[in-house]
Amino acid sequence: MGGFARRWRLVALALLGLIAAGCATGRLDATKPVGENAQQIDGLMRLSGWMAVGVGILVAAAVVTIIVKFRAKPTDDPDDLPPQIHGNRKAELTWTIIPTILLIFLTVYTLPTVFALASQGDGITIKVEGQQWWWQFSYDIDEDGQYDIVTANDLVIPTGEEINLEIHSNDVIHSFWIPQLNGKKDAVPGRVHDWRISSNEPGIFYGECVEFCGLSHANMQMRAIALDPDDFDRWVQQQYDGQTQARDVAPAEGTPEAAGATLFETHCISCHVVDGAYESAAGGNANLLSGLAPNLTNLMGRTAFAGALYDTYLPDGSLNIAELREWVRNAPNMKPARADNQQGMLDFSEVLTDQDLDNLVAFLKTLGSPPVLPQ
Ligand code: CUA
């Protein structure tokens, strides 16, 4: 092999290594399940993986043995061919029966998991809606058929409960995947797909849309925030408090917040809802839904914005004002979208002055309080 080919091979190997390493070091990690469903899937994956490794080793060993044992020797007469045979019943039966046994074994282990994953849990039910290009989550906490809490990007759940999800799509096919909590489930227009997630421990678990759904598919992310039951109750109360505050507490006149509220009314409420305070042009705030863009009632209570692409708070705990402000100024610049087709936020850079942006951010800061984080 020439020097060039050898070097090329080394580069290819190094690249392969890097790619393989990427599988386990990203924020989407299916090898560290924290919930029952994800653990079952992980168990199956390991079982079939190790079986494949075993088969691979046996086959490779057989190939190497045959190559070495039956290679041509310098003393061989090139005209003297080994005995020519047609078929070998023993060998053919062996390589039919062994894989059959292995597959039956795998089927027996897989089927109960398939049924277990399809069953419903006894925890709360959350409506999940995928749309280009973000996720919305609606909670009917008091189970009266009305949604009490609506969030975007952050899916907050209590630990130790099997959470039922009703997965919808408002436009094209998306796929819901939070690998540490369960496998993938498609969100299909006109259909409701039941799914279940759970976490045994508090934490933040990252998820993404995993069905190609257009321009910002790769930017359609989400986070599951699993809280101890007590913390989850605190979170629910915080959401209600945010709604009450938005409805009952108007910013004091003459403040930047008040100026921001006016701007919000002018530019934002045709798509966004703030429960009680600004009803949506899309049909009021029944069920808190705008249908077009995230409900912003408790914006400050979320860990992320813009399809969970950006952190709401910096590592030191302060508000990520720079990116929030830039997002309001020119959203398509931070996340490719098609505002002309009602997919994503408009570019306001020609509309809002620096002062306007400061006032709007001041107003946004009044929407809810900092998130309840896993302990
Ligand atoms: Cu939604 Cu990809």
Side-chain angles (χ1 to χ4, degrees):
M1 183 163 42
F4 175 77
R6 188 169 303 138
R7 233 173 301 145
W8 189 90
R9 249 214 218 174
L10 274 177
V11 170
L13 258 179
L15 275 178
L16 252 179
L18 274 178
I19 291 167
C23 297
T25 54
R27 297 201 297 187
L28 297 180
D29 191 347
T31 64
K32 294 193 185 78
V34 297
E36 195 207 320
N37 310 326
Q39 278 157 355
Q40 288 201 30
I41 293 173
D42 184 60
L44 262 183
M45 212 161 71
R46 276 167 206 277
L47 175 73
S48 51
W50 282 116
M51 282 171 66
V53 168
V55 171
I57 289 174
L58 283 178
V59 171
V63 168
V64 171
T65 309
I66 290 166
I67 289 173
V68 173
K69 195 170 170 193
F70 299 105
R71 72 187 190 282
K73 296 173 187 73
T75 50
D76 286 347
D77 174 1
D79 296 325
D80 185 15
L81 291 173
Q84 302 297 298
I85 54 166
H86 178 79
N88 181 320
R89 185 167 297 163
K90 226 195 258 174
E92 279 163 21
L93 277 174
T94 309
W95 65 58
T96 306
I97 289 173
I98 292 179
T100 308
I101 291 172
L102 291 180
L103 288 177
I104 290 173
F105 180 76
L106 264 185
T107 309
V108 166
Y109 269 83
T110 306
L111 278 179
T113 307
V114 170
F115 288 114
L117 291 183
S119 66
Q120 286 288 284
D122 53 7
I124 58 170
T125 298
I126 301 169
K127 181 183 183 189
V128 175
E129 283 165 282
Q131 55 250 293
Q132 288 160 320
W133 289 277
W134 55 287
W135 295 95
Q136 174 162 280
F137 308 105
S138 307
Y139 298 70
D140 177 9
I141 297 289
D142 54 15
E143 296 180 17
D144 65 350
Q146 299 273 312
Y147 293 111
D148 312 303
I149 295 171
V150 178
T151 72
N153 309 323
D154 282 9
L155 170 59
V156 182
I157 58 168
T159 56
E161 253 184 53
E162 294 292 321
I163 312 293
N164 298 307
L165 302 180
E166 292 171 347
I167 301 180
H168 300 246
S169 166
N170 291 331
D171 39 44
V172 300
I173 300 176
H174 305 271
S175 190
F176 177 94
W177 192 37
I178 302 177
Q180 286 183 269
L181 305 187
N182 202 351
K184 299 165 184 172
K185 194 74 173 178
D186 277 3
V188 178
R191 297 187 61 142
V192 182
H193 287 168
D194 292 326
W195 202 225
R196 209 159 48 109
I197 54 168
S198 61
S199 175
N200 298 327
E201 53 190 76
I204 298 182
F205 307 106
Y206 295 87
E208 268 201 42
C209 175
V210 282
E211 177 70 48
F212 181 67
C213 58
L215 187 58
S216 255
H217 157 68
N219 302 323
M220 189 170 164
Q221 305 177 4
M222 64 187 133
R223 295 170 183 184
I225 298 170
L227 300 173
D228 284 332
D230 285 349
D231 283 340
F232 181 76
D233 291 343
R234 277 207 301 139
W235 176 78
V236 169
Q237 191 53 50
Q238 186 200 54
Q239 298 292 302
Y240 288 152
D241 290 347
Q243 292 169 11
T244 310
Q245 183 187 318
R247 188 169 55 235
D248 298 345
V249 185
E253 253 177 79
T255 57
E257 289 81 0
T262 308
L263 286 161
F264 191 85
E265 246 177 287
T266 313
H267 298 293
C268 310
I269 61 168
S270 53
C271 299
H272 291 283
V273 168
V274 170
D275 176 42
Y278 303 102
E279 300 188 350
S280 131
N285 71 338
N287 295 338
L288 322 177
L289 301 176
S290 70
L292 286 175
N295 175 313
L296 297 181
T297 311
N298 278 290
L299 177 65
M300 291 298 117
R302 296 177 195 156
T303 67
F305 63 96
L309 267 192
Y310 298 95
D311 291 319
T312 316
Y313 295 91
L314 299 171
D316 68 3
S318 65
L319 185 65
N320 182 3
I321 289 183
E323 284 182 326
L324 188 61
R325 193 175 183 281
E326 181 57 20
W327 175 248
V328 177
R329 192 182 78 85
N330 187 353
N333 209 22
M334 295 176 73
K335 178 181 162 192
R338 290 215 31 218
D340 55 329
N341 202 28
Q342 294 197 338
Q343 296 158 324
M345 221 157 83
L346 295 161
D347 171 9
F348 285 101
S349 58
E350 304 286 312
V351 180
L352 300 170
T353 64
D354 281 353
Q355 184 67 57
D356 289 344
L357 286 165
D358 290 341
N359 292 340
L360 261 173
V361 170
F363 171 71
L364 293 178
K365 277 168 77 174
T366 68
L367 302 175
S369 36
V372 178
L373 291 175
Q375 301 296 321

